[in-house]
Amino acid sequence: MLETGLIIRALARNKIGALLIALQIALTMTIMVNAIFMIQDRQQQMQRDSGLDEANTFYLTNTIFGQDYNIQAQLQTDLHMIRNTPGVVDAIQINAIPLSSSGWSMALQHEPGEDKDAVGTAVYMVDEHAINSMGLELIAGTNFTQEDIELRKDGQSTWPAKTIITKAFAENLYPDDWQSAIGKTVYISQTQPMQIIGIIKALQAPWNGWNGVERSMLVPFHRESKGSYYFIRTEEGQRDALMPAIEKALAESDKERIIRRVTTVEDTRKRSYRQHNATNKILTTVVITLTLITGFGIVGLAIFSINRRTKQIGTRRALGATKGQIMRYFMMENFIISTIGNVIGCIGAVALNMWLVNTFNLSPISFELVAFGVVALFIVGQLAVLYPARKAALIAPATATRTI
Amino acid sequence: MLVMKNINKIFQTADIQTHALRDFCLQVNEGDFVSVTGPSGSGKTTFLNIAGLLETYTNGEFLLDGEDVGKLNDNGRSRMRNQKIGFIFQSFNLIPDLNLYDNVDVPLRYRGFNAKERKRRIEENLERVGLASRMKHLPSQLSGGQQQRVAIARALATDPRFLLADEPTGNLDSEMAKGVMSLLEEINQQGTTIIMVTHDAELAQRAKRTIQVKDGRVSELEIVASNTDKAIA
């Protein structure tokens, strides 16, 4: 028969130790649930699809220092050479790299003019090879044609007449029907019209922490600039071998420029989320440490309590308690303390989350996560008390008759 | 009936072997009131522990109510303690965090009685020892004699066949000791078999039988009130 009532009344008369452990459980629960939530949030961010064929793409910077340099001619030569290199799928010149933390942004609006609502977007200046070079998926509309590609000089403020946008951006511009974006005219730089000719499934912006990271647009530009990126996609398994080969070929083909920062998109992703990874490791360490401290606290309190009650346990055995009943007594005692701790912890976890939501604009924690925290701490509590409870069960009934 | 034949109890450490009981023989019949005396270290507490199934013995034969105790496992001994034996300890061994009602409740819960039956037994036995009006008190709020009465109520609550008392008056002044002794005599008269270990010769004399333990054996037997009861020497 369970001794729940007796245990609760006994605990009520000896509340300090139990209360301290309950508060420790509550604190652990509060921090654990919110830390796991933050870890999950970061994990989800890190697992978002960039839209790129990351495993088979890399890029490099092309910095020209020569005077009277024919940028356009060299660009065509370079792209022709790279695209015709065995193992290369396609290549483009591009102004910014997704997830690299550095890029261009503009805003598009439905109507021309100042004071009109506009939606921010990352801008990638590319040619008709972009979809193939980046491994993007065109899900509606059409790609650029060679005729669409315009030359853009540094400082130029006019924009091409066509654009391809991401699905997320289309959903933002046309929430009722994202596919209706095809053929629509939007305005860039407040007044310049652009027609949306295509929608790609995904392409992340260069800034992973931006809440509009999924909003990107492709514009058909070749840049006449002394600094640009070449973005290259290779056949599967060819990337690592082609990286130094293409770097060398480019460098040797023209001595009036520097080819450097040959980097895989995978490395860029890793760098981009380095802080997320570090934070997650710290939070994981905090969660594990707190849980261990709580577990050890429970072990300590239980052992102290058992040592203090050795004679009492012997007396219970003398009165007919089996070893199992003694074990159950301490497991139940811990369960009651854990219940109190978990109830306070649930309130604390939700309260802390509400503060985080209001302060840092995080989303609310899920019921499942709170339930997970409760179950996890019950398991930790029961596992922690298992050894002391077993120790208590092994106290001989003859202890009851000992005078010391 | 309690029958011990040639019970030996040897405590073994790495280097030392201690014979606590040597070929210990005793028969206690139903309704007996046996006092056990003897000098310190004579083995009387070991005897009481074995008689109360608190401790196992090394060899010999021990029958309690016709059941061979040697064949019982730990759970079986626990069950038999709960069902057939009541304990009264020198230092009362009440649970300090529980009030009198809950203290008496402890063995009843191990027995598995329902709440109604437990309540009846608790109230009846606290009434029997004159403490029904204090059932919500904590042990620390009672005198030593009153605490021992609660311990007696707890021991009696399960209707045990045997009541084993370990120096039940050892921590009481003489007036309280007499009161507790009178209560034990009354309980015995109502049919409960009592085995009491005591140092107090005067109290020992009030039992129906007195046995003396020396060097782990029953060294002397005095039959006070019954000619039919005897020890197997």
Side-chain angles (χ1 to χ4, degrees):
Chain A
M1 179 170 288
L2 291 174
E3 298 178 73
T4 316
L6 296 185
I7 294 169
I8 291 171
R9 288 194 283 282
L11 281 175
R13 295 198 177 93
N14 252 316
K15 29 179 130 40
I16 297 298
L19 203 61
L20 284 175
I21 288 294
L23 286 176
Q24 193 176 346
I25 291 170
L27 190 66
T28 303
M29 168 87 173
T30 302
I31 294 171
M32 183 179 84
V33 166
N34 281 284
I36 291 174
F37 167 69
M38 288 162 79
I39 291 168
Q40 280 182 340
D41 190 54
R42 278 176 172 74
Q43 284 290 351
Q44 278 169 7
Q45 283 183 36
M46 287 192 284
Q47 284 164 3
R48 288 177 305 198
D49 178 18
S50 67
L52 304 171
D53 176 10
E54 292 184 25
N56 300 303
T57 47
F58 70 96
Y59 59 92
L60 48 84
T61 58
N62 175 27
T63 309
I64 297 159
F65 59 81
Q67 299 298 314
D68 302 324
Y69 195 92
N70 189 339
I71 295 173
Q72 264 309 299
Q74 191 60 47
L75 172 63
Q76 295 306 327
T77 306
D78 287 346
L79 289 177
H80 184 264
M81 185 274 286
I82 298 169
R83 285 169 185 164
N84 287 291
T85 301
V88 169
V89 173
D90 214 339
I92 49 167
Q93 182 207 42
I94 195 166
N95 63 318
I97 304 297
L99 300 177
S100 66
S101 303
S102 169
W104 293 40
S105 74
M106 291 299 291
L108 294 188
Q109 53 199 64
H110 289 287
E111 293 171 44
E114 292 178 18
D115 306 327
K116 301 289 182 187
D117 288 341
V119 184
T121 173
V123 178
Y124 293 108
M125 296 171 186
V126 293
D127 62 23
E128 76 278 13
H129 292 266
I131 289 174
N132 195 33
S133 298
M134 300 170 93
L136 307 176
E137 190 182 341
L138 185 72
I139 55 174
T142 57
N143 192 4
F144 301 128
T145 63
Q146 200 173 359
E147 291 68 40
D148 294 329
I149 312 305
E150 297 179 18
L151 191 65
R152 184 184 193 280
K153 295 185 182 299
D154 278 345
Q156 179 180 322
S157 60
T158 55
W159 292 85
K162 293 180 180 176
T163 184
I164 295 172
I165 64 173
T166 58
K167 184 184 171 199
F169 193 16
E171 284 170 340
N172 197 287
L173 288 169
Y174 303 95
D176 294 336
D177 179 12
W178 61 269
Q179 284 175 306
S180 70
I182 298 293
K184 292 273 173 35
T185 299
V186 286
Y187 296 86
I188 191 164
S189 290
Q190 298 181 338
T191 55
Q192 295 181 47
M194 284 185 122
Q195 189 186 28
I196 299 169
I197 64 160
I199 297 174
I200 49 176
K201 189 178 172 190
L203 175 59
Q204 289 192 318
W207 317 281
N208 70 45
W210 180 41
N211 61 10
V213 68
E214 307 296 342
R215 294 201 299 268
S216 297
M217 65 187 289
L218 305 180
V219 290
F221 262 148
H222 267 163
R223 291 176 62 226
E224 196 171 67
S225 169
K226 288 195 167 184
S228 66
Y229 294 97
Y230 288 160
F231 193 97
I232 301 145
R233 184 179 176 204
T234 69
E235 288 168 4
E236 224 165 277
Q238 300 287 308
R239 183 193 64 190
D240 293 346
L242 284 169
M243 283 169 70
I246 289 174
E247 181 187 14
K248 190 179 173 198
L250 286 171
E252 286 178 352
S253 70
D254 187 342
K255 301 295 182 189
E256 293 188 312
R257 64 171 173 195
I258 301 169
I259 303 296
R260 56 180 187 154
R261 288 171 59 194
V262 186
T263 313
T264 65
V265 174
E266 284 176 337
D267 282 341
T268 303
R269 169 180 281 279
K270 276 182 201 156
R271 260 206 311 277
S272 175
Y273 288 113
R274 197 158 40 193
Q275 200 175 342
H276 278 55
N277 265 319
T279 308
N280 275 4
K281 279 177 188 159
I282 291 166
L283 286 172
T284 305
T285 307
V286 167
V287 168
I288 292 171
T289 307
L290 258 178
T291 308
L292 282 176
I293 289 171
T294 303
F296 289 138
I298 292 168
V299 173
L301 178 78
I303 288 178
F304 173 74
S305 162
I306 287 160
N307 288 341
R308 194 173 58 87
R309 291 188 277 182
T310 300
K311 189 152 192 166
Q312 190 187 119
I313 295 162
T315 303
R316 285 176 183 274
R317 293 280 281 130
L319 296 176
T322 60
K323 286 178 181 173
Q325 283 168 323
I326 294 295
M327 273 196 82
R328 202 167 61 192
Y329 180 95
F330 285 96
M331 307 284 278
M332 177 54 73
E333 188 178 73
N334 173 267
F335 185 84
I336 291 165
I337 294 170
S338 295
T339 302
I340 296 166
N342 275 323
V343 169
I344 301 170
C346 283
I347 296 166
V350 172
L352 178 62
N353 180 250
M354 284 168 72
W355 180 78
L356 289 172
V357 167
N358 291 330
T359 312
F360 300 108
N361 206 22
L362 295 180
S363 50
I365 48 172
S366 64
F367 168 78
E368 287 80 4
L369 189 57
V370 177
F372 166 79
V374 170
V375 172
L377 283 174
F378 270 125
I379 291 171
V380 167
Q382 292 291 289
L383 287 177
V385 86
L386 204 57
Y387 165 71
R390 177 81 187 135
K391 196 170 169 244
L394 292 176
I395 289 173
T399 310
T401 57
R402 287 182 196 141
T403 47
I404 298 169
Chain B
M1 192 163 70
L2 180 150
V3 180
M4 285 184 176
K5 287 182 188 169
N6 299 317
I7 293 288
N8 286 285
K9 176 66 183 178
I10 301 166
F11 291 104
Q12 178 84 53
T13 60
D15 307 320
I16 304 165
Q17 204 177 52
T18 309
H19 256 89
L21 293 182
R22 291 171 191 269
D23 295 326
F24 192 97
C25 297
L26 181 69
Q27 178 172 321
V28 177
N29 291 325
E30 201 161 335
D32 258 357
F33 189 161
V34 180
S35 65
V36 181
T37 62
S40 289
S42 60
K44 54 187 190 302
T45 299
T46 303
F47 154 70
L48 194 81
N49 284 345
I50 291 172
L53 316 189
L54 301 178
E55 213 163 283
T56 55
Y57 48 93
T58 308
N59 54 49
E61 190 183 353
F62 175 18
L63 301 175
L64 191 69
D65 249 6
E67 198 160 348
D68 187 350
V69 171
K71 289 181 179 166
L72 295 174
N73 62 15
D74 192 78
N75 278 353
R77 286 197 298 275
S78 294
R79 257 194 307 279
M80 191 173 261
R81 276 198 298 274
N82 184 253
Q83 290 170 6
K84 297 193 172 174
I85 302 168
F87 288 96
I88 303 168
F89 304 99
Q90 181 177 355
S91 46
F92 326 132
N93 291 20
L94 297 176
I95 295 168
D97 301 325
L98 299 179
N99 63 28
L100 307 193
Y101 186 99
D102 287 338
N103 260 288
V104 179
D105 195 14
V106 170
L108 300 176
R109 282 178 181 260
Y110 295 140
R111 186 74 165 269
F113 289 129
N114 62 36
K116 190 178 170 188
E117 176 65 12
R118 295 201 317 268
K119 184 172 186 289
R120 183 188 70 74
R121 284 170 178 258
I122 295 163
E123 288 174 352
E124 185 182 296
N125 283 286
L126 282 174
E127 181 74 44
R128 194 171 173 185
V129 299
L131 289 167
S133 61
R134 301 199 173 190
M135 55 177 73
K136 295 297 171 196
H137 283 57
L138 289 172
S140 58
Q141 295 169 313
L142 303 180
S143 69
Q146 287 170 325
Q147 288 189 47
Q148 194 58 296
R149 283 171 178 273
V150 178
I152 292 169
R154 181 178 66 184
L156 294 174
T158 52
D159 281 336
R161 302 285 301 275
F162 299 91
L163 199 58
L164 303 187
D166 181 21
E167 302 279 7
T169 59
N171 283 359
L172 303 178
D173 63 33
S174 57
E175 275 310 299
M176 285 182 179
K178 279 177 190 165
V180 167
M181 197 58 202
S182 299
L183 184 58
L184 290 178
E185 284 169 340
E186 187 188 317
I187 291 161
N188 177 245
Q189 279 160 19
Q190 288 163 1
T192 306
T193 306
I194 298 176
I195 300 171
M196 175 180 73
V197 166
T198 182
H199 272 111
D200 189 326
E202 192 185 330
L203 289 178
Q205 300 273 326
R206 289 173 67 169
K208 290 177 185 170
R209 286 171 58 196
T210 301
I211 64 165
Q212 192 173 40
V213 179
K214 194 175 178 186
D215 297 330
R217 296 174 196 270
V218 177
S219 68
E220 194 177 312
L221 172 64
E222 183 182 350
I223 300 173
V224 175
S226 169
N227 291 321
T228 55
D229 305 336
K230 57 188 173 186
I232 302 162

